Amino acid sequence: MKKLTIFALALLALLLIGRQVLVPKMVERGFTRMVTANVGVDRTADLADGLHIYMCGAGSPLADSKRSGPCIGVLAGKQAFIIDAGTNGSQNLGPMGFPTGRVEEIYLTHLHSDHLDGLGQMLLGTWINSRRSKPTKVSGPMGTAQVVEGFNMAYQIDSTYRTAHHGTKVANPASFGATAREINLSGGSQVVYNKNGVKITAFEVTHEPVSPAFGYRIDYKGRSIAISGDTAYDPNIAVASKDVDVLFHEALNMEMVKTMQMAAKANGAKGLEKILYDIQDYHTSPVDAAKTAKQAGATNLVLYHIVPMLPSDALIPMFVRGASDEFEGKITVSEDGTIVRLPVDSEAIIYEHGL
Ligand SMILES: [Zn+2]
Ligand SMILES: [Zn+2]
């Protein structure tokens, strides 16, 4: 009996030592292994040639623990682009393996704050340690120059600290900030980038009183996507998105927002009630987004700019109710970290999660 007690005590002591010494050691080793495999590694080096789409922000101005402000990274072969720079998008791109330092151009769909409030952080990502010799180009509708000038001014002081601390090779003053290009669409759509097999076409969408507001179509070696930007249901989007592999469309569930509006009313929150009423007329329901995907002949539909917030996946069936009656292809309610890969010389559409 005494022997058994000693054995039990020894075992307990071993377990305690294990917990206090061995477990932290294992965690430390795991951390070192993880950072060695990721920090400073070009995770695009072994990717198949194709279009790769990184959902860095699948949300809207409403707080959603799974969805940051609107932001989509696009890698076409070796060329990198960003469509919109909502809150936290820049922080998501790094862990997803997107080469922010190689971004050729940032495109804004429109100048609502939720699409550009992460631009300062995004421009730090495209500048620091980028070997860029010129500022990053930011293209968008009329007014983009004013927005860019404001961000340049706001971050100018910070840039001097970075250069002083890291040196001109890492923080080159010549490439700090951004230069703006304002796109003036003629005839509803226009090719705004055409280089090394990548064609980007801007097209007008309906987001009154925000005007102009754009969507973008991206074609690369036979693969294609379109990104709706913020828009009410607009048949022109189907025309601009003709036969794309994947249509990325914004989505707001009217019934769910109406329920929130009624709750605001019942709780006497008049201002909030008015906002929740107003936002219903310049967005698109998942059912109408599905109609657009069908009219376009798209293969897949990915919903983003999700309103309202969907903190639990259990809400997704309610959010997309009726959409699959309109569109036979795969419908995905995206979240931060969703990656879609379209390899060239293939019809494959590969979904991954990068966060
Ligand atoms: Zn928006
Ligand atoms: Zn908007």
Side-chain angles (χ1 to χ4, degrees):
M1 187 66 193
K2 200 174 165 192
K3 267 188 186 166
L4 204 63
T5 309
I6 291 168
F7 177 75
L9 283 171
L11 190 65
L12 189 66
L14 269 176
L15 284 173
L16 283 173
I17 290 167
R19 221 175 83 161
Q20 299 206 335
V21 179
L22 295 181
V23 172
K25 275 264 177 287
M26 280 161 66
V27 171
E28 281 170 32
R29 280 201 201 113
F31 173 75
T32 306
R33 258 202 311 272
M34 188 184 73
V35 295
T36 307
N38 288 289
V39 175
V41 172
D42 179 2
R43 285 164 57 199
T44 68
D46 298 327
L47 282 183
D49 191 16
L51 261 181
H52 303 267
I53 301 93
Y54 296 72
M55 187 59 69
C56 34
S60 72
L62 297 180
D64 182 333
S65 56
K66 293 186 164 195
R67 296 174 182 87
S68 302
C71 168
I72 299 179
V74 177
L75 193 60
K78 296 285 176 199
Q79 298 168 85
F81 307 88
I82 289 166
I83 314 292
D84 282 337
T87 300
N88 212 32
S90 162
Q91 285 91 328
N92 283 337
L93 281 171
M96 291 171 81
F98 186 81
T100 310
R102 293 211 320 260
V103 165
E104 299 206 11
E105 209 159 337
I106 297 171
Y107 288 90
L108 300 177
T109 57
H110 63 297
L111 303 182
H112 255 153
S113 58
D114 55 313
H115 296 252
L116 54 83
D117 54 12
L119 189 58
Q121 195 66 23
M122 191 66 84
L123 288 171
L124 275 181
T126 59
W127 173 49
I128 294 281
N129 204 21
S130 67
R131 299 203 192 98
R132 186 183 295 283
S133 59
K134 289 182 183 160
T136 305
K137 279 189 209 157
V138 177
S139 298
M142 296 300 285
T144 298
Q146 186 181 331
V147 168
V148 164
E149 191 187 338
F151 273 100
N152 283 344
M153 200 184 292
Y155 279 71
Q156 201 276 328
I157 294 173
D158 173 83
S159 79
T160 63
Y161 304 147
R162 309 275 171 200
T163 306
H165 198 183
H166 306 301
T168 53
K169 276 202 177 125
V170 171
N172 180 2
S175 57
F176 159 72
T179 50
R181 171 170 63 131
E182 295 189 336
I183 299 167
N184 205 346
L185 285 193
S186 53
S189 77
Q190 190 179 312
V191 175
V192 291
Y193 183 97
N194 202 350
K195 218 167 27 177
N196 302 326
V198 184
K199 186 166 88 171
I200 303 179
T201 309
F203 56 89
E204 211 152 340
V205 297
T206 303
H207 196 43
E208 295 287 345
V210 184
S211 181
F214 300 158
Y216 293 98
R217 175 188 176 120
I218 301 164
D219 288 87
Y220 177 68
K221 294 186 178 175
R223 305 308 306 262
S224 56
I225 62 159
I227 296 168
S228 72
D230 285 12
T231 183
Y233 173 63
D234 181 345
N236 288 331
I237 295 173
V239 177
S241 312
K242 191 83 198 122
D243 294 331
V244 290
D245 291 297
V246 185
L247 172 63
F248 291 78
H249 204 296
E250 69 120 278
L252 178 148
N253 184 298
M254 310 294 172
E255 288 73 30
M256 292 169 87
V257 172
K258 271 186 197 129
T259 303
M260 292 170 74
Q261 185 199 331
M262 289 305 122
K265 187 178 183 182
N267 291 322
K270 285 208 164 88
L272 184 57
E273 183 200 345
K274 168 94 171 90
I275 292 167
L276 289 166
Y277 171 77
D278 289 343
I279 63 173
Q280 294 171 45
D281 72 0
Y282 66 1
H283 289 294
T284 304
S285 70
V287 172
D288 283 342
K291 275 184 198 160
T292 302
K294 162 103 177 163
Q295 288 155 5
T299 307
N300 281 190
L301 170 65
V302 172
L303 301 174
Y304 82 110
H305 200 283
I306 303 300
V307 182
M309 66 297 272
L310 303 175
S312 162
D313 290 351
L315 292 165
I316 287 179
M318 182 182 180
F319 183 78
V320 295
R321 187 174 296 147
S324 57
D325 296 339
E326 302 294 337
F327 178 64
E328 290 170 356
K330 182 180 165 85
I331 301 175
T332 301
V333 177
S334 67
E335 58 185 53
D336 293 3
T338 301
I339 298 175
V340 184
R341 303 197 188 281
L342 307 172
V344 298
D345 300 326
S346 160
E347 291 186 353
I349 301 177
I350 302 157
Y351 289 81
E352 292 176 11
H353 203 280
L355 282 177

